[in-house]
Amino acid sequence: MKILTEHIDVQGIDTIDVFRKNGGYRAVEKALKTMTPDEVTEEVKKSGIRGRGGAGFPMGMKWSFLAKPEGVPRYLVCNADESEPGTFKDHYLMMKSPHTLIEGMIVSSYALGANTSYIYVRGELMYVVNILEKAIQEAYDKGLLGKNILGSGYDLDLFVQPGGGAYICGEETALLESLEGKRGNPRNKPPFPAVKGLWQCPTVVNNVESISATSWIINNGGDEYAKIGIGRSTGTKLISASGHVRKPGVYEIPLGITVEDFIYADEWCGGIRDGHQLKAVVAGGSSVPILPAELILKTVNGENRLMTYESLSDGGFVTGTMLGSGGFVVMDETTCIVHNTLTFGRFYHHESCGQCSPCREGTGWMDKVLYRIEHGKGRQEDVDLLVDVAKKIEGNTICPLGEAASWPVAAAIRHFRDEFEWHIKFPEKATQKGAVFMREGASWSL
């Protein structure tokens, strides 16, 4: 089942004429001419779709929270910042099929009563901004944007705004600050954006993939969408697969397939590269806990781990992880977990906005300690020090970047503590080029 990528490889699908020949913009016509905004929202609720940006919050419920005061404009903002290391699905979709997102923006804006909407794209992706602006102009030329769309009486203006290239602007309130022309610092909540968002007006912020799926839901019905997937994990999910697999790329999967199938089936990643074996997986982008091979394939109860929100989180953070943004990074036995953790830690230290002292100082401390261990100057107490610092960051910041920085460190130590200790006990071996800790027999190899 393909919802977002069914026609993505059709030649010219990035143009409006080819897109419409393949069924594009039917949802706009159906929604604007035959449905009320509340009916569109109800179909999204029925679908059970959850936010695809990482949080996994039910999208229809989020829409229903939008305040609707008299005489006050409302806004829909698409979060296309996508700065999570390991995640590249959204910019792939926008690059290949920009009208998929634009159609979803029109349908979603209509449901929310928004007459002005924005697509906020990370600053490094200017080529995507250019693609979107060209596609938006095509939509204006065909009467699908602007005044009185398709004679329905509904007006919508759509703008693309490049960001400043800051990871923190993927957090919705920091994104709104940036969109208003200010420094992208997260806001205290409450008030939430649904009450006071862009320019202090009611605002919904949704991810590219989430918004893009609304067109299929309107065309086929929320109940049909809910039949795909399993349990509360309905529909399909775009997964950015990278690392030591034979076939990295972006895959649209029905939620509910096993993790083992996703890694090893020829239809998906095709297995681990020749001559190597699975060591660990980061399942949902760099901010989610890493899991060793035995826990990513099976739960502690021996059940197959599924590609769903519920199954991946089974066991909590002790033995589970999160689906997150779908940044699926696969590591074989040649991966140094300490080095990988340092890479993630350095990223979060660099990207902290500095507003909250636990995050500003704590990410720096973790970066320094991890660097010390990786470069052969670690102390025995450093491992517990990292755990302690991570705990003091978690839950003590305005936005989730603190958790995003602390969870990977805590999980890496939880599951690969012996590897950290090996770096400290045998610095002369650990610092040799190409040295990798091998758990079997606590040996090492070059």
Side-chain angles (χ1 to χ4, degrees), residues 351-429:
E351 294 296 335
S352 174
C353 74
Q355 186 175 192
C356 307
S357 56
C359 181
R360 181 184 66 246
E361 303 299 328
T363 54
W365 294 341
M366 289 195 299
D367 182 5
K368 290 175 184 177
V369 176
L370 286 165
Y371 183 89
R372 189 161 69 211
I373 295 173
E374 169 67 3
H375 289 81
K377 299 184 184 299
R379 303 174 302 202
Q380 197 61 46
E381 62 268 24
D382 281 346
V383 180
D384 288 329
L385 176 61
L386 283 169
V387 174
D388 185 56
V389 173
K391 286 180 180 178
K392 286 181 168 59
I393 298 172
E394 183 179 354
N396 292 309
T397 56
I398 291 174
C399 87
L401 190 143
E403 280 84 0
S406 59
W407 290 342
V409 173
I413 294 171
R414 183 182 307 121
H415 299 299
F416 298 96
R417 188 182 184 101
D418 51 354
E419 190 159 343
F420 284 83
E421 292 176 343
W422 178 79
H423 273 69
I424 294 168
K425 290 177 182 177
F426 305 104
E428 69 286 351
K429 295 179 180 178

Side-chain angles (χ1 to χ4, degrees), residues 74-76 108-117 154-157:
R74 295 166 230 154
Y75 297 101
L76 170 65
S108 302
S109 298
Y110 173 70
L112 297 167
N115 298 112
T116 304
S117 295
Y154 174 63
D155 305 334
L156 176 64
D157 286 313

Side-chain angles (χ1 to χ4, degrees), residues 237-252:
K237 179 80 182 75
L238 294 180
I239 303 293
S240 313
S242 63
H244 298 141
V245 289
R246 290 176 180 167
K247 295 164 56 182
V250 176
Y251 295 99
E252 184 174 9

Side-chain angles (χ1 to χ4, degrees), residues 42 114 147 170 198 304:
E42 188 57 33
K147 299 290 184 184
L198 189 63
N304 287 329

Side-chain angles (χ1 to χ4, degrees), residues 173-394:
T173 61
L175 185 157
L176 295 177
E177 289 285 290
S178 177
L179 193 53
E180 291 177 1
K182 295 178 280 188
R183 178 184 173 90
N185 281 359
R187 299 173 180 174
N188 280 307
K189 293 181 283 189
F192 291 91
V195 178
K196 289 189 176 182
L198 189 63
W199 295 301
Q200 298 301 299
C201 295
T203 304
V204 167
V205 182
N206 279 136
N207 168 262
V208 171
E209 184 184 350
S210 311
I211 292 172
S212 298
T214 57
S215 300
W216 194 97
I217 292 169
I218 296 309
N219 283 329
N220 298 276
D223 290 333
E224 287 301 309
Y225 187 89
K227 290 177 183 178
I228 307 166
I230 182 171
R232 290 175 52 241
S233 293
T234 62
T236 65
K237 179 80 182 75
L238 294 180
I239 303 293
S240 313
S242 63
H244 298 141
V245 289
R246 290 176 180 167
K247 295 164 56 182
V250 176
Y251 295 99
E252 184 174 9
I253 65 167
L255 287 170
I257 67 170
T258 67
V259 173
E260 186 170 8
D261 275 349
F262 182 66
I263 295 175
Y264 290 100
D266 289 338
E267 183 180 0
W268 313 115
C269 297
I272 309 302
R273 60 181 180 166
D274 292 342
H276 295 279
Q277 60 186 5
L278 179 64
K279 179 177 182 177
V281 170
V282 175
S286 64
S287 62
V288 309
I290 189 173
L291 284 185
E294 62 272 17
L295 287 177
I296 193 64
L297 299 178
K298 302 277 187 181
T299 69
V300 289
N301 296 323
E303 299 171 350
N304 287 329
R305 187 82 74 174
L306 307 180
M307 295 290 285
T308 66
Y309 294 95
E310 292 76 26
S311 182
L312 284 169
S313 64
D314 183 271
F317 280 1
V318 177
T319 59
T321 184
M322 298 168 66
L323 181 60
S325 61
F328 198 87
V329 184
V330 178
M331 307 173 194
D332 67 20
E333 81 285 353
T334 67
T335 303
C336 174
I337 299 299
V338 177
H339 181 76
N340 180 77
T341 308
L342 169 62
T343 301
F344 286 169
R346 179 143 295 181
F347 171 82
Y348 288 111
H349 177 207
H350 179 268
E351 294 296 335
S352 174
C353 74
Q355 186 175 192
C356 307
S357 56
C359 181
R360 181 184 66 246
E361 303 299 328
T363 54
W365 294 341
M366 289 195 299
D367 182 5
K368 290 175 184 177
V369 176
L370 286 165
Y371 183 89
R372 189 161 69 211
I373 295 173
E374 169 67 3
H375 289 81
K377 299 184 184 299
R379 303 174 302 202
Q380 197 61 46
E381 62 268 24
D382 281 346
V383 180
D384 288 329
L385 176 61
L386 283 169
V387 174
D388 185 56
V389 173
K391 286 180 180 178
K392 286 181 168 59
I393 298 172
E394 183 179 354

Side-chain angles (χ1 to χ4, degrees), residues 26-258:
R26 285 190 298 113
V28 172
E29 189 160 353
K30 180 178 180 180
L32 271 57
K33 292 187 174 180
T34 69
M35 301 174 73
T36 66
D38 287 344
E39 287 172 340
V40 174
T41 299
E42 188 57 33
E43 289 301 321
V44 173
K45 282 184 177 179
K46 286 180 185 177
S47 74
I49 185 172
R50 296 163 68 171
R52 301 306 200 217
F57 190 82
M59 186 171 167
M61 187 181 298
K62 187 173 186 177
W63 286 11
S64 68
F65 292 157
L66 185 69
K68 299 178 180 179
E70 288 278 338
V72 177
R74 295 166 230 154
Y75 297 101
L76 170 65
V77 177
C78 174
N79 185 346
D81 190 68
E82 194 177 41
S83 302
E84 181 86 347
T87 308
F88 44 90
K89 63 182 177 67
D90 289 341
H91 93 254
Y92 173 80
L93 183 63
M94 292 185 289
M95 176 184 68
K96 299 278 281 186
S97 185
H99 287 284
T100 299
L101 173 59
I102 294 168
E103 181 178 19
M105 288 294 294
I106 299 169
V107 171
S108 302
S109 298
Y110 173 70
L112 297 167
N115 298 112
T116 304
S117 295
Y118 297 88
I119 303 172
Y120 184 97
V121 183
R122 63 182 292 190
E124 293 91 341
L125 300 179
M126 285 306 298
Y127 70 95
V128 173
V129 172
N130 295 333
I131 291 169
L132 286 171
E133 287 183 335
K134 180 183 176 182
I136 287 171
Q137 187 58 54
E138 287 182 321
Y140 271 106
D141 294 343
K142 296 291 186 180
L144 290 159
L145 284 171
K147 299 290 184 184
N148 193 24
I149 298 173
L150 300 178
S152 65
Y154 174 63
D155 305 334
L156 176 64
D157 286 313
L158 180 59
F159 301 95
V160 181
Q161 175 61 49
Y167 172 77
I168 192 64
C169 290
E171 194 278 333
E172 62 178 12
T173 61
L175 185 157
L176 295 177
E177 289 285 290
S178 177
L179 193 53
E180 291 177 1
K182 295 178 280 188
R183 178 184 173 90
N185 281 359
R187 299 173 180 174
N188 280 307
K189 293 181 283 189
F192 291 91
V195 178
K196 289 189 176 182
L198 189 63
W199 295 301
Q200 298 301 299
C201 295
T203 304
V204 167
V205 182
N206 279 136
N207 168 262
V208 171
E209 184 184 350
S210 311
I211 292 172
S212 298
T214 57
S215 300
W216 194 97
I217 292 169
I218 296 309
N219 283 329
N220 298 276
D223 290 333
E224 287 301 309
Y225 187 89
K227 290 177 183 178
I228 307 166
I230 182 171
R232 290 175 52 241
S233 293
T234 62
T236 65
K237 179 80 182 75
L238 294 180
I239 303 293
S240 313
S242 63
H244 298 141
V245 289
R246 290 176 180 167
K247 295 164 56 182
V250 176
Y251 295 99
E252 184 174 9
I253 65 167
L255 287 170
I257 67 170
T258 67

